[in-house]
Amino acid sequence: MAVRLGGYARISLDKDGQELGVDRQRSDYRQVAGVRPGWIAARDYIDNDISAFKRNVVRPEFEKLLVDLQTGVLDGVIAYDLDRLARQPRDLERLIDVFEDRPELVFCTVTNDIDLSTSDGRTMARVMVAFANKASADTGRRVARKHRELADAGKNAGGFPPFGWKDDRVTVDPAQAELITQAHDALLAGTRLSTITAEWQKLGIRTSRNTGKPITRVALKGILTNPRLAGFRTVKGQKHIGEDGKPVMGVWEPICTPDKLDAVVAVLADVNSRYKTNNLSNNHKYLLSGILRCAECGTRMIANMRSSWKEGSKGSRFTYRCPAAKDGGCGKVSRAGEPLDEHIIALIHDAETRLKAPTPGPVEWPGAVRLIEVEESISDLISAMNSGTLKARTVIAMLEPLEKERDELEYERNRHAVEQIKTSAATVELSEEFERLPIERQRAVIAKHIKAIVVNPAGRGARKFNPDLLEVVWAAY
């Protein structure tokens, strides 16, 4: 009778994603199974690039293996070594529980044989996993200490090269840096992160890990808000603070300025905050939604696709309308969407002299001097604590109000920077660029120069678009 075994292979780090390590393990345990009479490696359970030591990591294939052993799908397990299966005692105990419930199960490794169905075998396995766990913990401490030294010196650690830099993690990759710069500019000008994500996906942009999957919104946000872009050394995604209480600067070439990075972070934080608190996404599909107002009741008009419209048919695909009474409007005013959009775009083009009025220069943020003073005070206190001049308890008590003030000042500075950058970024060469902008950028340009467009009723039976029924409320310059 055949003995159906589940083969398990695992490797903690596979930088290139080629699975060479787990392939070698699979080849070895299949060779061992092949020389045992009746043994068959019926199914492979592969956890590639997954740690068995980190307590918060779930190994999907290991979990499936336990279930299949418990339910009788398998007659045993074979692996290259015990430490491939378990480096945490609790994982070993879960495996032992299965073998105690089903003592007929077979257990085999390439490097040595341990019988988990016997007391001696379980004891030996526990000792081996305990030593392997200690070895991992010791290695982790040494690696953490080394990473701390590298971070304090502003040097790179291991891992994949971050997006924006070449393999040496010091030299900027021009193509990737240009993508980041363009994305920053677009965000500050009002483009949604989801729009930029779609553009990167269309271009086939991948992360440094190059998993082969399209880049996600979360991954793109991580790239665009990485403190490393402004030259800061990071630890677990946060700025690393040195013994002098100041952020440590890295040895690599920066891609943007700290002020610009802060502005980008502030924009994304503001968008997320508004989305969560107001359940708003600002995801407008139509150019003039919310800008148009009904002349009868003053309500903002919305857009709807016409259900009767078909590809190739005449007439507008969508209409702008005042919401019905149950939705807060009067429902009395509507207008064909496409001719109205075309009219407003033409109106903006014709009014270039008005839109190109001189833009005021940058306004200096009044809190700049105070922020420098607060940051220097924080740095002095941390230095005093590290040198032993002041006790930690005293320093912490003094730091709390200073850190609160610093955070408030930084928020004000970032919001000021966002407004300054948005003011300059919203200026475009309308005759050449407007039609190529994403919808949110087009809306931002219109909203900068037009406060509202009041739409008067067209009258019963009127079908032809009449621009005289529109009242454009221009913004003051």
Side-chain angles (χ1 to χ4, degrees), residues 184-193 267 282 422 425 438 440-441 444:
H184 278 177
D185 292 342
L187 279 172
L188 294 172
T191 305
R192 296 190 305 271
L193 183 61
V267 165
N282 197 31
K422 278 187 173 181
E440 58 267 30
R441 290 284 307 279

Side-chain angles (χ1 to χ4, degrees), residues 356-434:
K356 288 185 177 179
T359 302
V363 178
E364 184 177 352
W365 177 57
V369 174
R370 179 54 186 165
L371 179 57
I372 293 174
E373 292 173 350
V374 171
E375 289 177 334
E376 288 179 348
S377 297
I378 292 174
S379 177
D380 291 343
L381 285 171
I382 294 176
S383 295
M385 182 178 64
N386 290 331
S387 64
T389 306
L390 291 176
K391 293 184 178 180
R393 181 180 299 177
T394 302
V395 171
I396 296 302
M398 298 173 68
L399 278 177
E400 287 182 350
L402 286 171
E403 289 176 336
K404 182 178 179 180
E405 184 179 3
R406 179 201 60 191
D407 293 344
E408 291 174 351
L409 287 168
E410 286 182 342
Y411 175 80
E412 292 174 5
R413 180 198 61 188
N414 293 345
R415 296 309 310 156
H416 176 82
V418 169
E419 293 306 317
Q420 292 293 303
I421 294 174
K422 278 187 173 181
T423 298
S424 60
T427 302
V428 298
E429 292 294 334
L430 294 177
S431 59
E432 298 178 0
E433 297 182 25
F434 187 84

Side-chain angles (χ1 to χ4, degrees), residues 21 96 112 119 131 183 185 215 222 258 263 271 324 349 363 391 449 459 466 475:
I96 286 175
N112 52 61
S119 176
F131 273 101
D185 292 342
I215 194 165
V271 169
H349 283 305
V363 178
K391 293 184 178 180
H449 303 289
N466 184 359

Side-chain angles (χ1 to χ4, degrees), residues 28-191:
D28 288 344
Y29 70 61
R30 283 187 172 182
Q31 184 176 0
V32 171
V35 300
R36 302 290 183 94
W39 283 20
I40 300 173
R43 189 185 187 285
D44 296 315
Y45 299 79
I46 310 298
D47 282 321
N48 188 53
D49 199 24
I50 298 179
S51 171
F53 173 70
K54 296 179 181 178
R55 296 171 64 88
N56 61 338
V57 172
V58 176
R59 293 179 284 157
E61 291 299 304
F62 178 73
E63 298 298 328
K64 290 180 183 178
L65 174 64
L66 291 180
V67 171
D68 289 347
L69 288 170
Q70 290 170 332
T71 57
V73 174
L74 301 173
D75 301 316
V77 59
I78 185 169
Y80 181 80
D81 192 86
L82 180 63
D83 68 359
R84 298 300 89 198
L85 280 159
R87 274 187 174 261
Q88 284 290 349
R90 60 181 178 177
D91 285 339
L92 175 64
E93 293 303 325
R94 295 173 64 199
L95 187 60
I96 286 175
D97 287 345
V98 175
F99 276 81
E100 286 182 337
D101 292 339
R102 299 187 62 206
E104 75 277 8
L105 289 175
V106 172
F107 184 85
C108 179
T109 64
V110 174
T111 55
N112 52 61
D113 284 333
I114 297 175
D115 188 356
L116 292 182
S117 64
T118 68
S119 176
D120 289 344
R122 293 194 292 270
T123 299
M124 182 58 66
R126 288 179 174 120
V127 171
M128 293 174 66
V129 169
F131 273 101
N133 181 271
K134 182 180 185 303
S136 293
D138 291 342
T139 299
R141 283 193 294 271
R142 290 193 297 270
V143 170
R145 184 70 185 91
K146 180 63 176 178
H147 278 288
R148 172 75 191 199
E149 291 178 358
L150 292 172
D152 288 342
K155 296 181 179 179
N156 287 296
F160 293 92
F163 192 92
W165 285 268
K166 295 182 178 180
D167 290 342
D168 62 5
R169 298 191 288 279
V170 174
T171 308
V172 168
D173 183 307
Q176 293 183 354
E178 179 63 20
L179 285 169
I180 292 172
T181 300
Q182 291 175 355
H184 278 177
D185 292 342
L187 279 172
L188 294 172
T191 305

